[in-house]
Amino acid sequence: METRPPTPNQDAIIQCVRSRVGPDAPRVEQVEVDGKKYWIKRPEKLNWRFRLQKGSPKIAFERERAAFHDMNGYEVPVPQLCAEGKDFLVLPDCGPDLRTLFRKEKVEERRHALLMEAARTLGVFHKKGFSHGRPSPKDMCRSDSGVLMLDFERYRQKNNTLKGQARDLVIFAFNVIAHSPNVRGSLSEAMEVYRGAAPDGTWQLSSQWCRRMRWAKYLVKPAQWSEGNRSKEFKAIPQLFDLFAGKA
Ligand SMILES: Nc1ncnc2c1ncn2[C@@H]1O[C@H](COP(=O)(O)OP(=O)(O)O)[C@@H](O)[C@H]1O
Ligand SMILES: [Mg+2]
């Protein structure tokens, strides 16, 4: 778990960020400064149609910045901000993301162990009183000091509640079911691991929410027959409900 603030060369990092500004600058990119890897993140540039769908990129960027300000300085499994400006954040490299590792790791026991670590990390994060907003193995990285959580564009202080954490848990499980078939079978065990680390009551709230939503299972039936990512997500819904009903 990253707790000690790193001591990067701020001036060199900021110089690097400035040197890469431009219309073609990627929104998220890895750079190297003084032999160390960092990631620069900038606000998304959206056309009006996507702005209507996704909301203001500036607000999302400020949410993420607020998350790091709220969490850095506490023992929370997130990286320490290395540098920031009005239109950029810089984080240390946190290693490969877990969705990629679940896909690439050949040894089943190692994939299983990684999923348990992810679940424990989410539990610890919640126990510290925070909620993420949209946790996914894609936004959890395996750093040298353990799993760290990233991508706080959906963070809101007012969701740092049991209810917000219960929603996090459902979203996390949903993302594993939909996008990481290699570890799906270990999810109920991962939920036990989560419960061992998390505040009392989150699991119960998640289960209640899924019970109330069970009718959605029937609504999404036709969508499950189509191909592609959307259908993977629709197909995940019945499995998600079974998991929180203790049947998976
Ligand atoms: N500090 C970091 N360390 C390692 N990987 C990172 C880091 N920051 C971003 N990434 C990688 O880039 C991806 C996109 O970054 P993210 O903050 O999730 O942006 P987006 O809002 O586009 O999803 C992440 O899923 C992760 O794979
Ligand atoms: Mg992301």
Side-chain angles (χ1 to χ4, degrees):
M1 190 183 301
E2 179 103 37
T3 53
R4 213 168 4 94
T7 47
N9 181 348
Q10 287 255 342
D11 290 344
I13 291 175
I14 290 176
Q15 215 177 339
C16 169
V17 175
R18 294 290 173 222
S19 74
R20 304 180 81 85
V21 174
D24 299 329
R27 191 169 79 89
V28 181
E29 68 172 325
Q30 196 194 62
V31 293
E32 203 167 309
V33 179
D34 294 343
K36 264 195 85 180
K37 289 181 186 151
Y38 299 93
W39 288 74
I40 306 173
K41 190 166 181 183
R42 303 182 177 86
E44 204 164 6
K45 290 189 187 114
L46 295 176
N47 63 27
W48 65 269
R49 192 162 67 83
F50 279 103
R51 280 179 78 99
L52 283 177
Q53 271 174 23
K54 294 175 86 175
S56 157
K58 189 75 196 147
I59 291 175
F61 180 79
E62 287 309 329
R63 282 201 194 120
E64 177 145 36
R65 189 210 301 275
F68 285 111
H69 284 198
D70 288 355
M71 293 168 197
N72 282 178
Y74 297 95
E75 282 201 17
V76 182
V78 303
Q80 301 279 332
L81 261 185
C82 297
E84 62 183 298
K86 76 175 186 4
D87 53 3
F88 70 88
L89 298 174
V90 182
L91 293 169
D93 179 40
C94 300
D97 74 88
L98 295 191
R99 187 186 287 179
T100 304
L101 288 177
F102 290 153
R103 197 176 59 241
K104 288 194 172 162
E105 176 57 65
K106 297 270 183 299
V107 183
E108 200 201 325
E109 289 79 47
R110 288 206 206 121
R111 291 200 302 266
H112 178 88
L114 273 175
L115 180 66
M116 300 307 131
E117 210 182 326
R120 191 176 308 107
T121 302
L122 185 64
V124 167
F125 177 78
H126 286 166
K127 188 87 171 185
K128 295 285 176 184
F130 294 105
S131 70
H132 180 281
R134 195 184 47 187
S136 161
K138 189 159 62 89
D139 297 320
M140 297 171 108
C141 287
R142 183 71 177 78
S143 79
D144 294 341
S145 53
V147 170
L148 296 175
M149 308 192 38
L150 294 172
D151 197 357
F152 290 96
E153 293 190 356
R154 299 288 175 101
Y155 173 77
R156 282 193 173 116
Q157 243 177 17
K158 74 175 173 64
N159 291 338
N160 288 334
T161 58
L162 276 189
K163 200 171 152 196
Q165 293 163 352
R167 196 163 46 215
D168 266 10
L169 182 61
V170 175
I171 295 173
F172 171 76
F174 173 77
N175 278 317
V176 173
I177 295 170
H179 301 291
S180 299
N182 269 352
V183 291
R184 204 182 276 160
S186 303
L187 250 185
S188 49
E189 206 178 314
M191 293 294 110
E192 287 302 316
V193 170
Y194 168 84
R195 290 171 77 173
D200 288 341
T202 45
W203 165 267
Q204 286 79 358
L205 272 180
S206 303
S207 301
Q208 276 170 22
W209 185 84
C210 286
R211 265 200 308 278
R212 279 204 306 275
M213 293 299 290
R214 276 199 91 83
W215 53 266
K217 189 165 146 176
Y218 303 101
L219 282 185
V220 299
K221 268 255 176 285
Q224 292 172 32
W225 300 327
S226 55
E227 297 291 315
N229 246 5
R230 273 274 163 255
S231 99
K232 273 193 212 161
E233 295 187 344
F234 285 125
K235 282 181 187 140
I237 291 174
Q239 292 181 49
L240 181 77
F241 291 162
D242 285 349
L243 177 75
F244 283 97
K247 291 189 204 159

